Amino acid sequence: MSGFLPISRSEMLEKGIDRFDYICVTGDAYVDHPSFGIAIISRVLEAQGYSVGIIAQPDWHSVKDFKQLGEPRYGFFVTSGNIDSMVSNYTVAKNPRTEDSYSAGGEAGHRPDRAVIVYCKLLRSAYPDTPIIIGGLEASLRRFAHYDYWDDAVRPSILIDSGAHLLTYGMGENQTIEIARRLATGEPVKNITDVLGTCYVTANENIPLGLVNLPSYEMVCENKKEYCKAARLEIDEHDAISGRALLQKHGKRAVIQNKPMPPLTQEELDKVYSLPYMRFYHPSYEQKGGVPAIEEVEFSITHNRGCFGHCNFCSIAFHQGRRITCRSEDSVVNEAESFVKNPRFKGYIHDVGGPTANFRKPSCKKQLTVGLCKGKKCLAPEPCAALEADHSEYLHMLRRLRAIRGVKKVFIRSGIRFDYLLQDKNDAFFNELVENHVSGQLKVAPEHCSPSVLDAMGKPHIEAYEAFAKRFYERTRKIHKEQYLVPYLMSSHPGSTLKDAVTLALFLKKHNIRPEQVQDFYPTPGTISTCMFYTGLDPYTLKAVYVPRESGEKALQRALLQYFNPNNHALVKQALIKAGREDLIGYGEGCLIPPFIAKKQDFAGANAKNRPHSGLRSLNDRQVPPQKGNGGFRYGKAKQGKPATAKTTKKPVQK
């Protein structure tokens, strides 16, 4: 246990610590692995010479657990964990989840709703004068007034609700180092108002000059166009080069956001990943079977940060940012070589990825000097003319990893941006990806097939996916392998009408896709899609966007994605009639369902000899508790023969 940071009084005394300099509070079980934000922040603090304690998943019904390690000399760093606590606790249907992959044994119920707010109030009760700094995804995405899906209302900044002194947004290593240094020198936390990548609260009469004024909390609550204006400014100014400082008034106080902190340099990022992580959960969780979230990430490697793909429903752009930063090849190879010395390592590196696996360079040189373009996307609806698609460095790194003695296979399980890959004129990466790095299934994210829905999502049109799929299966057949694409698909996204859902069902039938699970759009704080969901407007054009809100319509759209399931017959029939597509009800080859269902074989259809493949829907990368394994939808047939069967699990795990 000596390699882990202390989580109890006994471990604290064992290390000879009478008082911690800083204490980190997290809503996750303590897993000392760099895929956990709190592990990085705590190790970064330790590397600066501070003593650090961990309070993991404290009982929030009293202050007892918050006092177990005593009062730190300088302050608390607080996070809800790797994902928003509300997403962790509830499904998109707002039903309580029965499992939590970030808790020992996968048990649910170990973190409160709105964990950051709850933790901060209890800390304030226990230690009224101790500085509290909040960060992580929940704090970062809720730093301004935001629509909250679970309340179905606009909530104020989490800084206002929590009473914390400072908020670090984005990837917070350098913010943490600067704040910790200044607190340790005795500077009052109320004076620390100029650190890049942070937010603080001040009285309206103390607002600095020269800030961009967002519509106030009161305005965005009352006027949806003002909410759109705020959402667009928040996204557009989240750039380390072109981003400006922002303010948003909340009554007599204002939330001030300083300019973004520049991304870590490659040297700094390498240093972060070289810190002495134990790369496993704390031994105290062993009696419950450990923490499920470690299973997929223990022998996975994160090589990059950021995503210039910027899908509208994804939180990455508003958290990590759109600019790509990456570790050096040597750093990645050194991490892989350390796996070989681990007795649990079986020779398989599960992933070499990040937000998007095949992004390793900026999309163009211009963004390095002037920042990323505001109000535009690098890849959608079509690739920008300035895009530079180059996989050579990523490929070289993968080759080095494959050559390590003791490594049997190197897989890529993070999402591949297929539209970017298609722009690379060199086929070397594509060929080696298909030949060496697919573990039976490859994750890709077309999301939908309707042009209007894809435009609302900020995604390329379906023709790009079809071109990629064709190449993938041609190459797969050529090398005599049986492997499949795992296309993510989403129902009920803003812009998706019932007719669009029918179009998607027909697309699935045409391409022999049978998803076993489907994902409804989940409105999470800070995304453009959530703004559309709340306001019914596109924040960049202020044009009306159709939003499927009612549970009944969502059920119809979701059922259409599983039109082949006999249990969905009544819903699919209702949806087709409502959409005016009764022509799809019948026994013809082009029909989706028969008029009546007496036996399950009525669903066999005209294409029984070319039976579609099925698979388990994975929920990674969208702030949703992930699933174990690499299941998903399958597309087409790579070769004749029995398709691989996706394994299911009751214990969700993570990206």
Side-chain angles (χ1 to χ4, degrees):
M1 250 186 294
S2 60
F4 287 88
L5 296 174
I7 66 170
S8 66
R9 175 69 68 172
S10 61
E11 291 178 21
M12 177 182 175
L13 296 176
E14 184 182 312
K15 287 182 175 288
I17 300 171
D18 60 348
R19 187 180 184 185
F20 287 113
D21 294 325
Y22 291 100
I23 293 176
C24 296
V25 181
T26 175
D28 292 336
Y30 177 35
V31 180
D32 190 27
H33 187 283
S35 66
F36 285 70
I38 200 64
I40 289 179
I41 293 302
S42 60
R43 290 297 184 181
V44 164
L45 285 167
E46 182 191 43
Q48 297 299 308
Y50 304 112
S51 59
V52 184
I54 303 288
I55 298 177
Q57 294 190 324
D59 182 351
W60 65 93
H61 298 96
S62 74
V63 298
K64 181 181 177 181
D65 281 1
F66 295 88
K67 287 187 170 184
Q68 64 177 317
L69 300 182
E71 182 178 15
R73 284 190 181 87
Y74 308 126
F76 291 97
F77 286 87
V78 179
T79 176
S80 68
N82 269 13
I83 58 178
D84 188 283
S85 59
M86 299 302 288
V87 177
S88 177
N89 289 350
Y90 297 95
T91 69
V92 66
K94 301 184 182 180
N95 297 320
R97 295 192 191 274
T98 58
E99 297 178 351
D100 183 349
S101 63
Y102 297 99
S103 297
E107 294 177 354
H110 291 282
R111 83 185 75 227
D113 293 352
R114 313 192 191 286
V116 169
I117 295 171
V118 173
Y119 293 162
C120 287
K121 288 184 175 180
L122 286 162
L123 287 170
R124 178 64 61 242
S125 172
Y127 304 109
D129 301 319
T130 306
I132 299 174
I133 298 92
I134 58 176
L137 201 66
E138 182 164 315
S140 185
L141 300 183
R142 295 173 178 268
R143 59 191 186 262
F144 295 111
H146 55 279
Y147 172 72
D148 184 272
Y149 174 65
W150 305 271
D151 278 358
D152 192 23
V154 177
R155 291 182 66 96
S157 164
I158 197 169
L159 260 178
I160 299 288
D161 270 348
S162 68
H165 295 97
L166 287 172
L167 180 155
T168 66
Y169 66 91
M171 309 304 279
E173 293 94 347
N174 282 344
Q175 295 96 306
T176 298
I177 291 170
E178 178 65 8
I179 292 167
R181 181 190 67 79
R182 290 168 67 168
L183 288 175
T185 61
E187 184 172 352
V189 67
K190 66 180 181 180
N191 293 350
I192 304 177
T193 60
D194 58 343
V195 178
L196 299 179
T198 66
C199 302
Y200 65 95
V201 177
T202 190
N204 288 345
E205 57 266 26
N206 297 328
I207 294 174
L209 298 175
L211 279 62
V212 176
N213 199 344
L214 297 175
S216 69
Y217 167 62
E218 292 75 16
M219 292 172 69
V220 299
C221 286
E222 296 171 3
N223 188 311
K224 291 185 175 180
K225 286 188 176 180
E226 292 298 310
Y227 187 100
C228 287
K229 180 181 177 182
R232 176 172 179 171
L233 280 169
E234 290 160 19
I235 290 287
D236 285 351
E237 301 303 330
H238 188 73
D239 185 275
I241 295 176
S242 64
R244 297 172 291 176
L246 304 175
L247 77 94
Q248 186 177 56
K249 291 182 180 179
H250 287 60
K252 296 180 179 180
R253 294 182 292 172
V255 174
I256 308 296
Q257 175 183 288
N258 292 317
K259 293 180 180 181
M261 177 69 76
L264 298 187
T265 64
Q266 187 168 88
E267 182 180 359
E268 289 172 330
L269 198 55
D270 285 354
K271 186 175 181 180
V272 165
Y273 280 87
S274 71
L275 296 174
Y277 306 100
M278 298 300 290
R279 302 190 65 87
F280 209 56
Y281 52 77
H282 191 275
S284 62
Y285 304 124
E286 196 65 55
Q287 60 183 351
K288 288 190 175 182
V291 180
I294 194 63
E295 295 176 25
E296 278 298 299
V297 300
E298 184 182 6
F299 300 115
S300 294
I301 299 174
T302 299
H303 76 92
N304 64 5
R305 285 182 176 179
C307 181
F308 57 72
H310 187 193
C311 301
N312 287 340
F313 51 79
C314 181
S315 61
I316 291 171
F318 196 46
H319 182 57
Q320 293 192 16
R322 292 193 288 158
R323 180 173 168 180
I324 303 298
T325 56
C326 63
R327 297 165 60 188
S328 68
E329 285 189 38
D330 287 344
S331 172
V332 171
V333 170
N334 289 341
E335 183 174 353
E337 288 175 340
S338 74
F339 294 172
V340 179
K341 303 171 186 176
N342 190 321
R344 293 187 298 272
F345 184 60
K346 306 301 182 185
Y348 299 95
I349 296 177
H350 296 157
D351 188 26
V352 183
T356 298
N358 57 324
F359 287 173
R360 191 157 173 85
K361 294 178 177 293
S363 57
C364 70
K365 293 184 177 66
K366 183 180 73 169
Q367 64 193 244
L368 298 176
T369 55
V370 300
L372 285 110
C373 299
K374 296 182 179 181
K376 296 181 180 179
K377 297 184 184 295
C378 300
L379 289 164
E382 296 178 348
C384 175
L387 181 73
E388 298 176 4
D390 182 1
H391 293 84
S392 57
E393 187 176 298
Y394 187 35
L395 178 58
H396 186 263
M397 183 173 68
L398 291 169
R399 287 171 176 169
R400 289 183 64 184
L401 293 174
R402 297 202 308 262
I404 296 173
R405 187 171 183 177
V407 171
K408 298 175 182 177
K409 287 286 186 180
V410 180
F411 297 124
I412 297 174
R413 291 182 175 174
S414 297
I416 288 285
R417 192 74 191 220
F418 56 83
D419 47 344
Y420 176 76
L421 192 154
L422 290 173
Q423 299 303 304
D424 192 342
K425 297 179 180 178
N426 188 331
D427 288 340
F429 171 72
F430 178 86
N431 291 337
E432 292 192 33
L433 167 70
V434 177
E435 292 170 16
N436 300 303
H437 300 291
V438 178
S439 59
Q441 301 170 338
L442 178 67
K443 296 178 182 178
V444 286
E447 303 294 356
H448 212 281
C449 68
S450 167
S452 60
V453 179
L454 290 167
D455 287 344
M457 292 177 165
K459 298 287 293 184
H461 289 188
I462 197 62
E463 289 77 12
Y465 175 71
E466 291 178 311
F468 174 77
K470 181 180 179 182
R471 284 183 60 187
F472 177 86
Y473 286 111
E474 285 175 350
R475 186 66 188 173
T476 295
R477 284 191 293 269
K478 187 173 182 179
I479 60 175
H480 306 293
K481 281 193 171 185
E482 183 176 354
Q483 51 195 22
Y484 306 92
L485 293 180
V486 182
Y488 288 164
L489 298 169
M490 185 185 296
S491 62
S492 301
H493 186 277
S496 177
T497 65
L498 201 54
K499 289 185 177 181
D500 290 315
V502 172
T503 300
L504 181 54
L506 291 170
F507 175 85
L508 298 178
K509 180 179 176 66
K510 174 184 175 183
H511 293 291
N512 300 321
I513 304 172
R514 284 194 170 185
E516 289 184 1
Q517 295 181 6
V518 297
Q519 174 64 35
D520 277 349
F521 167 65
Y522 202 150
T524 54
T527 71
I528 292 297
S529 295
T530 298
C531 176
M532 293 181 187
F533 179 88
Y534 169 59
T535 66
L537 301 169
D538 181 331
Y540 281 88
T541 65
L542 294 183
K543 292 182 179 178
V545 176
Y546 178 77
V547 179
R549 300 181 189 279
E550 299 301 322
S551 59
E553 181 178 356
K554 288 184 178 182
L556 296 181
Q557 292 207 25
R558 188 167 57 248
L560 280 164
L561 270 66
Q562 295 177 306
Y563 66 89
F564 49 84
N565 186 336
N567 296 328
N568 288 339
H569 181 268
L571 285 173
V572 175
K573 187 173 183 179
Q574 180 184 345
L576 293 174
I577 293 172
K578 190 172 182 179
R581 293 304 307 269
E582 292 93 335
D583 59 302
L584 298 177
I585 303 171
Y587 295 100
E589 184 173 346
C591 294
L592 289 176
I593 59 171
F596 307 99
I597 175 168
K599 300 176 182 179
K600 287 187 178 181
Q601 51 264 41
D602 289 344
F603 269 66
N607 296 319
K609 65 180 181 179
N610 187 26
R611 184 180 179 183
H613 303 303
S614 63
L616 174 67
R617 175 70 161 87
S618 173
L619 305 181
N620 273 339
D621 313 334
R622 296 197 178 105
Q623 254 212 90
V624 182
Q627 303 284 340
K628 180 179 178 181
N630 189 31
F633 307 136
R634 293 171 180 174
Y635 183 107
K637 292 182 75 174
K639 65 174 186 176
Q640 294 298 320
K642 183 179 179 180
T645 301
K647 295 181 179 179
T648 61
T649 178
K650 291 186 177 180
K651 292 185 178 181
V653 216
Q654 158 98 27
K655 171 185 174 189

